[in-house]
Amino acid sequence: MISVMKANYGNPSSIHAEGRQARAAIETARKTMAKYLGASIGEIFFTSGGTEANNMAIKGAVRDLGVTRILTSPTEHHCVLHSVEFLEKQGVAVVWLQVDAAGRVDYDQLENLLQDTTHRTLVSLMYANNEIGTLLDFERVSELCKAHGALFHSDTVQAIGHFPIDLSKTYVSFISGSAHKFHGPKGVGFLYMNADNIIQPYIHGGSQERNMRAGTENIQSIVGMAKALDMACTGMDERRETIESIRQYLKDQLLAHFDGIQFHGDQDRYLYTVLNVSFPPSPKADLILLNLDINGIGASGGSACASGVDVGSHVLTAIGADPDRKAIRFSFSHYNTKNEVDFVVEQLGKSIV
Ligand code: PLP
C-alpha cells in the first residue's frame, strides 16, 4: 500500500502512463480477488466495504431484478437488516425466518416458503454471524434457491479469508466482503455479482467499476485488500489451526474458572474467530468490559434487549438469550497467544469474583 501511495499516484481513469499504471494495479488486484473466490474478473466490483456492497445487492435486486419478496433472518448485520426494513416500508414482502437458540435458521420453513413462486424472491442470509459465530449451511441454501428459482444474496463479510469459497461451483447471486475482516485496510470491500444478475448503478457519475460504482477508486486500499486476501488464503489452514487452538483454550479456561457461564451460538459449526460467552447477572458483571479495556483487552459486549427501548444486541434478543446476563464477544486472530488468554482469564477473575 505504501509503495502504491508513493509511486502510483496517477488517476486510473486517465489515459497517460501514470493513469495506465494505476489502472493496471487495480485490475491486478481484481484478478487476485477473483482467483481466490472462483469468480470471473467481471463479477467483482470494489466498494467502500461490506455495508455498501450489501445495500447495493439487496436494493438493486428489488429495483432492477423484479424482486418482490425477501426471505431473511433477524440475526443479520444491521446493514442487511435496515436495508430490508427500508424496502419493507416501500411495499416489498418480507419474511423473517425463525432462528433457534443457537441462531440457526429454520431450513424447512425456508424450503416451504420457496415453494411459493408467485413472488420473485431474494433470499438474504449471512454466511457467518459476526456476534455469535453461527454458520449458515451455505450449500443447502444455495441448492434450495437454485431449485426454486430464487436469487441468493449472502453477507459473507465474516467468512472471506477464513473459509474457502468457490463461487464457480456454488449457485449464488451476490456476496459481499470487507477487507478489514481479513487484516486488510478499513473502508474497502467488494461486491461479487453473478454475471446473470447485473443490476443498475447504485452510485451515478463517472464510468469507474464498469459504470457500476462511480467515483475515483481507492487504489491503495484495493491493492491492500487483494494482498490481504492473498495472505489469508495462502495461510488459511495454518492460521485456522492457531486460532482454533486459542479459541478452544479460552473456552476451557473459562469453564475451569467460572460458574454459570454460557456460550452463545452454534458450538458445532462456528466462525472460529469469535467466541461469545455470557456471565450470570451480578452488579460486577456490568463492569467487565470496562475492566478489560482498562487492562488493554479489547472485547465487545452486549446483552439481549429486555424491552423495546433497550439498545441491546438484536442477535442475542433473536435467539432468546436472557437479557439479564452479560455477554462478551471475544474475537481472535492468528496474532493472539495462549499467554494473552491467560491474562484475559486473570482479569476476568478480578472483574467478576
Ligand atoms: N456484515 C457483517 C457480518 C459485518 O460483521 C460487518 C462489519 O462489522 C459488515 C457487514 C459491515 O462491513 P463494513 O464495516 O465494511 O461496512
Side-chain angles (χ1 to χ4, degrees):
M1 288 176 72
I2 290 169
S3 68
V4 165
M5 280 189 273
K6 280 186 174 163
N8 217 334
Y9 47 81
N11 186 324
S13 297
S14 301
I15 54 164
H16 47 57
E18 288 80 3
R20 292 198 306 275
Q21 192 190 351
R23 163 71 42 220
I26 291 179
E27 294 317 316
T28 304
R30 199 185 313 278
K31 215 167 149 184
T32 304
M33 304 293 298
K35 179 178 97 175
Y36 286 115
L37 297 168
S40 54
I41 47 174
E43 295 172 320
I44 304 291
F45 298 88
F46 295 124
T47 66
S48 65
T51 299
E52 182 185 325
N54 286 331
N55 270 263
M56 195 167 154
I58 297 169
K59 292 175 183 169
V62 169
R63 190 189 58 181
D64 306 321
L65 303 176
V67 165
T68 53
R69 182 178 65 156
I70 300 174
L71 309 181
T72 187
S73 96
T75 59
E76 297 297 311
H77 187 271
H78 276 144
C79 63
V80 168
L81 213 63
H82 292 165
S83 295
V84 172
E85 283 167 357
F86 168 80
L87 292 166
E88 194 172 22
K89 286 199 193 108
Q90 315 277 310
V92 174
V94 175
V95 181
W96 301 97
L97 298 170
Q98 286 153 19
V99 291
D100 66 13
R104 291 173 294 232
V105 291
D106 185 334
Y107 296 102
D108 294 333
Q109 185 194 13
L110 175 64
E111 187 165 9
N112 284 337
L113 286 161
L114 285 171
Q115 314 282 340
D116 171 6
T117 48
T118 52
H119 282 284
R120 176 91 165 124
T121 299
L122 173 75
V123 173
S124 178
L125 291 171
M126 71 204 308
Y127 191 116
N129 187 278
N130 49 305
E131 285 192 42
I132 56 172
T134 299
L135 292 185
L136 183 73
D137 190 338
F138 192 75
E139 298 302 322
R140 185 169 173 186
V141 174
S142 160
E143 288 303 319
L144 284 174
C145 290
K146 187 177 177 188
H148 295 92
L151 297 177
F152 177 29
H153 161 253
S154 186
D155 173 350
T156 51
V157 162
Q158 290 286 338
I160 301 286
H162 302 291
F163 294 95
I165 291 181
D166 185 355
L167 298 168
S168 69
K169 298 203 176 85
T170 317
Y171 171 87
V172 61
S173 319
F174 307 98
I175 69 164
S176 51
S178 182
H180 70 274
K181 306 297 184 194
F182 47 91
H183 297 272
K186 290 168 190 65
V188 65
F190 70 90
L191 173 68
Y192 159 86
M193 188 174 357
N194 180 280
D196 296 338
N197 299 305
I198 298 295
I199 56 173
Q200 295 297 310
Y202 184 61
I203 295 177
H204 296 95
S207 59
Q208 291 91 351
E209 295 302 292
R210 294 179 312 291
N211 286 314
M212 190 58 69
R213 201 262 189 184
T216 302
E217 298 90 337
N218 185 351
I219 167 169
Q220 63 278 1
S221 297
I222 289 171
V223 168
M225 172 165 66
K227 180 68 186 171
L229 188 65
D230 182 27
M231 292 168 76
C233 290
T234 47
M236 193 182 290
D237 293 343
E238 212 174 308
R239 287 184 183 187
R240 181 177 183 154
E241 207 180 307
T242 307
I243 299 169
E244 286 270 19
S245 74
I246 289 167
R247 182 183 183 277
Q248 188 58 46
Y249 183 63
L250 177 59
K251 263 184 102 169
D252 294 344
Q253 293 300 307
L254 290 172
L255 286 167
H257 287 86
F258 303 98
D259 292 327
I261 57 170
Q262 276 176 12
F263 297 108
H264 296 293
D266 193 342
Q267 297 302 304
D268 297 323
R269 292 183 69 253
Y270 53 85
L271 175 66
Y272 54 88
T273 51
V274 162
L275 182 68
N276 193 309
V277 57
S278 74
F279 296 87
S282 88
K284 278 191 147 185
D286 286 340
L287 297 173
I288 299 176
L289 277 180
L290 182 68
N291 285 335
L292 292 180
D293 188 25
I294 287 168
N295 288 290
I297 300 162
S300 32
S303 50
C305 312
S307 71
V309 281
D310 266 8
V311 193
S313 155
H314 68 283
V315 176
L316 293 174
T317 304
I319 63 170
D322 179 351
D324 293 328
R325 295 178 64 88
K326 184 75 198 162
I328 301 187
R329 185 194 66 166
F330 292 102
S331 38
F332 313 93
S333 86
H334 57 287
Y335 294 115
N336 288 126
T337 62
K338 288 189 177 167
N339 283 346
E340 288 174 330
V341 170
D342 290 335
F343 183 62
V344 168
V345 173
E346 187 189 322
Q347 296 305 324
L348 275 173
K350 287 186 189 162
S351 305
I352 294 167
V353 181

